Amino acid sequence: MTAQNEAHRSGFVNIVGNPNVGKSTLMNDLVGERVSIITSKAQTTRHRIMGIVNTPEYQIVFSDTPGVLKPKYKLQESMLDFSEGALTDADVLLYVTDVVEEPLKNADFLKKVAGEKVPVLLVINKIDLLKNNAELDALVSRWQELLPKAEIFPTSAKEHFNVANLMARIVELLPAGEPYFGKDALTDKPARFFVTEIIREKILLNYDKEIPYSTEVIVEKFDEKEKSLHIMAVVYVERDSQKGILIGRGGSMLKRVGMEARKDIEKFFDKSVYLEIFVKVEPDWRNRENKLRSFGYIE
């Protein structure tokens, strides 16, 4: 490291925890950009997504990870690999819980977090849902027993409560080092990835039951011009019946998804967007290793 950059800090801050505790909301708040999609449904995040914060003094590489769960099929095994991988390369670990989940919900993973050598910051999210301070004190005491080495930060990512203090502590804990990415980088993901995530978010918001979890979105055409984008995306489902539900009567449901996604994609890229969405059936893709590899879940 050059003398000039001696004071520069950089590090990987990995965000882990169970599904639906607000990891993606917290990540977006810390990064200051909408990098991860957010819905009220579990398993919204499927990949490990990096959001990068740059100042002249430091670079923080945040990682949002899928919620930890016991896998029922190969896709969920890959999602768990992303979460467990985040334990191995963190400089600082953010373990996110909330005020409603049972602390021992995923005891095996929690045990791994307790054994971490790097600093662990325990974020108790959604404290705006608590009735009084006594409830918070009881929660803090319980978590101090489970993760005695962790520093505890009660927060509400949705209300931006205590997030600035959490950020300040993260900066203090960063090791000295050169930046890992260019100082203008926001994420490690290509532009196409955010198109697929926005479309998938709209599917999660517009459909119930198994449909959102049986879909995968792939961008097959991404033609970018100075002021416009032409995108062609394919939504894969596992069964013909799911294809019918996804498209809807006379194409009405798919049209709604397309309109909502196009608006967000235009906002994200600040360009006019022509979006085409097609639906294809790929039987049992969540359990097929070759498909999971081609969809980017297995390296």
Side-chain angles (χ1 to χ4, degrees), residues 235-248:
V235 180
Y236 288 93
V237 292
E238 293 188 312
R239 297 192 298 275
D240 282 320
S241 58
Q242 293 168 346
K243 181 178 178 178
I245 294 167
L246 198 68
I247 292 171

Side-chain angles (χ1 to χ4, degrees), residues 1 6 47 53 70 157 185:
M1 195 189 306
E6 250 175 49
H47 292 266
V53 176
K70 291 196 168 33

Side-chain angles (χ1 to χ4, degrees), residues 29-60:
D29 203 9
L30 289 164
V31 174
E33 296 280 353
R34 190 169 173 276
V35 179
S36 289
I37 62 172
I38 299 164
T39 77
S40 60
K41 292 179 180 172
Q43 301 174 49
T44 296
T45 302
R46 284 181 177 173
H47 292 266
R48 182 173 169 179
I49 302 166
M50 289 183 184
I52 303 166
V53 176
N54 290 295
T55 74
E57 294 79 32
Y58 60 79
Q59 180 179 84
I60 308 174

Side-chain angles (χ1 to χ4, degrees), residues 92-95 113-114 116 118-122 147 149-152:
V92 179
L93 195 68
L94 263 58
Y95 183 85
V113 172
E116 279 292 306
V118 299
V120 176
L121 304 182
L122 171 69
L147 293 176
K149 291 190 289 185
E151 293 179 49
I152 298 177

